[in-house]
Structure formats: structure tokens, C-alpha cells
Amino acid sequence: MSSTSAYISSVSRLFKARTLTKGTINELFSSRDWKELLGILKEKGILEETPDSVDRAELLLKKRALDQLQELYNLSNSLKLARDIVQGYIYRMTLDELTYVVSSIWNKVKEDTSRLIYLKAKLDQIPSTLEELNSILQGTIYGQALGFAQSKSPKDLSQFNSLLEYFFIHYMSMLTEGLKGDWKVSANNILCGYKDYYSTSLAVRQKIAFGPTCRMSEDDIRDLASSKTPEDVLNVLRRTSYSKSLDLSGVYTALASFNNIARSNARLGALGVFMGSPFNPIVAMGVSELIKLDTEDLITLINGMKLGVMPEKLKSSVSFQQV
């Protein structure tokens, strides 16, 4: 196990070398506009070309992330835990594709696969029923996610897609539940905020209450799910350990700031994994998380600059805690 874990650690460190640094993110924030920002990304080799639109830039960034995660997945075959972790991140990065397919089927709208990047290899065309989709994706993480969502008997498409989103933290929690020692601590440092955020979001948006949680109690989640008014939700959030860091001016601003906290904490946790034991397979989670966060941050920056959002406001929306 030690030699295998050391190999995964070595491979993950190579991928980490390609991730964003504070120096790079500061340079990007100094861009005069989104076009100059894309030019910097091209100069640094993050993009292979200089896109002529925000949509094109998003597509290239997502494809880059998926290519890296797929390569990492292929190199992780010797250690099941690391491979399964990376598979979870591939799922998270392609969640929008799965919800697009599910929405098309649910709404009985004839769509094609032109918007798909990753799932296009699995779907020649959009199936006409969820049963058919289940059959096609059986034995994959997407099939697991569909089974999980359907087992909760969602009453509408919004609940269904929320459960598909929630599946990511459910899956990652199940993978790491039995870990011990440094492995457990490393995984929890990355996932803790996500456990609380995803459970809170599902309770508030869909009135569905179940774990996992980290710093929040099960009572908090149940109270959020049973809340009747926005003020009820905010009152529950005020009594949590996150209250001082949340924007409690409204329910959705609170959820947005909660998501930002979870992402910032996850970045710190992901970086921290690389400072510990070289035999910790959670480094695969660390680098996968960094790849995900980098992609999200860059897309946020590009869109924000295109919309003319002030840099100071944008800084609070990325996962770097000090920019």
C-alpha cells in the first residue's frame, strides 16, 4: 500500500504544479478586461488558444479540467480509493451535462448531444425515458447518482436535479467514512464545509433533510427543512458556527456566501494535503479539488469581468482567501 500511495502522491504533485497560484490569480485580477485576461491564460499555457467569446473560454476550461482528471483517473488504477475519488470529481465537473439530459427527458423536449463534452461518448442520443437512461448508464457513477436521486422519490425536476448535485458529497462521504488517522483528517479538511453547505442547501431549497454534516448538527438541518419563512432560515443559520462569515441579508445571499466559505476552506484543505505524508492517497482528492476550484474561479473571473463587476467584489467570489 505504501509504495502505491507514494506513486499516487508523486503523480498528484505533478498535476498540482499546473494549478493556479496566488501570483497568477493576482495577475489575472489586474487585467483591464476579460479579453486581456484570456490573453494571459493563453500566455501561461492554461488555454491553448485565445477564445473570442466567454462561452468558448468556458468550454475550453472545462475540457482542460476534464482531460486532466481523466488522465489522473487513468494513472490511479493501482489504488482503488484514489481512482474512486477522482471519478467523483469527474462526476461533479460533468454534473451540468447529466442534469441537462435528465431535464430534457423529464420535460419531454427533444434535444441533441451537441452540448455534451464528456457524456457524449456514452450517449449517441438523448434517451426518451429515465428508465432507458438508467439502462445506458448502469454500472457507472452516473447510474449510481440516478439511482440515489430516484430512491428519494423527487416530486419534481428541481428536486431531482438538486439530489443529483447532492450525490457528489454523499458519494465522497461514503468513500472516506471508514478512513482513519491522517487520511481521515486530510479528507475532512477538504470536505467539511461542503458537507454542511450541501446539506443546508438541500434543506433550504428542497425541504429535504439528511446528512452528512460536519460542524452543523442534524437538528440544524431538520430545522432548516421545516422552516416556513426566510427569517426562520436565517435564524437557524445565525446560531451556527458559520454565522459570523455568512452574508445574512437574505436567504440566497446566505447560501452563496456559504458556498464561498466551503470552497475557500476546501482550497486550504487541498493545499494542506501536500504538506503531509507522501503515502497519503488523499492527495488525489487534493489535486482534483484544486483542478475543480481553478476552473470555477477562472469562469467566475471571466464572466465577472465581461459583466463589469468590480475586482474587489470578484475577489470575494473566488476560492483564494487572500488575493
Side-chain angles (χ1 to χ4, degrees), residues 76-282:
S76 301
N77 279 333
S78 57
L79 186 58
K80 186 177 186 302
L81 176 59
R83 184 192 63 198
D84 289 347
I85 285 170
V86 178
Q87 180 177 244
Y89 277 91
I90 292 174
Y91 171 83
R92 184 63 185 86
M93 290 294 298
T94 54
L95 177 62
D96 60 333
E97 297 188 23
L98 181 61
T99 55
Y100 168 74
V101 172
V102 168
S103 299
S104 299
I105 296 170
W106 189 287
N107 292 324
K108 302 187 185 316
V109 176
K110 287 204 169 185
E111 301 281 8
D112 57 34
T113 59
S114 60
R115 288 180 53 181
L116 305 181
I117 300 175
Y118 192 82
L119 287 179
K120 200 167 189 176
K122 302 180 185 299
L123 300 172
D124 294 329
Q125 59 184 11
I126 304 293
S128 57
T129 66
L130 289 175
E131 290 72 21
E132 185 182 350
L133 180 64
N134 268 320
S135 177
I136 294 171
L137 298 178
Q138 187 175 11
T140 70
I141 191 172
Y142 302 98
Q144 292 179 49
L146 289 169
F148 171 82
Q150 289 174 314
S151 74
K152 307 303 177 185
S153 302
K155 64 182 182 181
D156 54 34
L157 178 60
S158 177
Q159 276 197 356
F160 200 121
N161 284 338
S162 290
L163 287 164
L164 291 176
E165 180 181 21
Y166 183 84
F167 176 77
F168 168 72
I169 196 60
H170 168 79
Y171 173 86
M172 299 304 294
S173 298
M174 294 294 289
L175 279 183
T176 57
E177 184 178 27
L179 298 181
K180 298 178 180 178
D182 290 345
W183 295 11
K184 180 74 170 180
V185 172
S186 297
N188 199 53
N189 286 342
I190 297 171
L191 298 177
C192 180
Y194 285 140
K195 290 179 181 179
D196 289 336
Y197 166 72
Y198 278 103
S199 295
T200 293
S201 179
L202 193 65
V204 171
R205 297 175 190 271
Q206 303 298 348
K207 302 305 177 185
I208 299 174
F210 47 82
T213 57
C214 182
R215 291 165 55 190
M216 292 181 67
S217 70
E218 292 181 4
D219 286 342
D220 290 334
I221 301 303
R222 281 194 292 267
D223 289 346
L224 287 169
S226 62
S227 59
K228 303 298 183 185
T229 68
E231 192 58 32
D232 289 342
V233 172
L234 297 176
N235 283 336
V236 175
L237 293 176
R238 286 189 183 102
R239 73 187 191 213
T240 69
S241 60
Y242 294 98
S243 60
K244 292 182 179 178
S245 303
L246 295 175
D247 180 347
L248 296 172
S249 59
V251 170
Y252 289 101
T253 55
L255 289 177
S257 61
F258 203 156
N259 186 34
N260 289 340
I261 292 168
R263 295 176 69 253
S264 295
N265 289 345
R267 182 175 285 278
L268 286 178
L271 292 170
V273 175
F274 291 92
M275 300 176 188
S277 166
F279 304 113
N280 188 344
I282 303 303

